[in-house]
Amino acid sequence: MNFSEKLLTLRKAKNLTQEQLAEKLDVSRQSISKWESGQATPELEKITALSVIFNVTTDYLLKSSEIDDLSVKTEILEKQQQIMLIREQKQQQILGCILYSIAIYLVFFALYFIGHFHFWEWVSNPSVFFAGFLIATAVVIFVCVKKLSKK
């Protein structure tokens, strides 16, 4: 892998656009494009800055080595896998929160209707319904905060 391929791979792994990388290096987007296409090579100070931005050595950027290429690609894949795992865990937490919320509201409405039609006349008062709904909402918020704060 040559310098231009490494630069393109590293930039994409960091989810940076050519414009964003150009801003960090104080160069034009066209310069980044030329570096990535192999039409030009950056100055030494820019290569040093690139090594800092991408957290790699200047040797890695300039020398071709299969071991370095594999280790960087492995590191990039591991980071992407960690990000995907974190996203999936968050989605599972949110889904759990939604399901708990639905269950809590269903229990609230079931108790309200049972009480309203079979037992207590005072349950038909709108303020009692509203108070019960607020209590159910507080329980939902509490459950969701607990569910989403788990790591």
Side-chain angles (χ1 to χ4, degrees), residues 34-103:
K34 286 181 181 179
W35 298 347
E36 289 181 353
S37 66
Q39 297 174 7
T41 305
E43 301 166 352
L44 184 57
E45 72 178 52
K46 301 301 180 189
I47 292 173
T48 305
L50 285 167
S51 72
V52 171
I53 291 169
F54 296 123
N55 195 27
V56 295
T57 64
T58 53
D59 279 353
Y60 169 76
L61 288 173
L62 298 173
K63 291 182 180 178
S64 182
S65 169
E66 292 298 318
I67 294 174
D68 284 342
D69 291 345
L70 288 175
S71 66
V72 168
K73 286 181 180 178
T74 302
E75 186 177 321
I76 289 168
L77 288 173
E78 286 173 351
K79 286 180 183 178
Q80 289 174 341
Q81 186 178 20
Q82 287 174 344
I83 289 169
M84 288 173 56
L85 182 63
I86 290 169
R87 281 185 191 153
E88 187 171 328
Q89 289 172 342
K90 270 295 184 202
Q91 287 175 345
Q92 289 295 325
Q93 289 173 333
I94 290 170
L95 178 63
C97 180
I98 291 168
L99 292 175
Y100 281 123
S101 300
I102 291 170

Side-chain angles (χ1 to χ4, degrees), residues 82-139:
Q82 287 174 344
I83 289 169
M84 288 173 56
L85 182 63
I86 290 169
R87 281 185 191 153
E88 187 171 328
Q89 289 172 342
K90 270 295 184 202
Q91 287 175 345
Q92 289 295 325
Q93 289 173 333
I94 290 170
L95 178 63
C97 180
I98 291 168
L99 292 175
Y100 281 123
S101 300
I102 291 170
I104 290 167
Y105 283 120
L106 286 175
V107 167
F108 162 72
F109 283 115
L111 290 174
Y112 174 77
F113 287 119
I114 289 171
H116 177 72
F117 291 114
H118 295 292
F119 298 110
W120 309 290
E121 290 296 320
W122 57 270
V123 174
S124 61
N125 185 341
S127 61
V128 172
F129 174 80
F130 187 66
F133 187 78
L134 289 177
I135 291 169
T137 301
V139 171

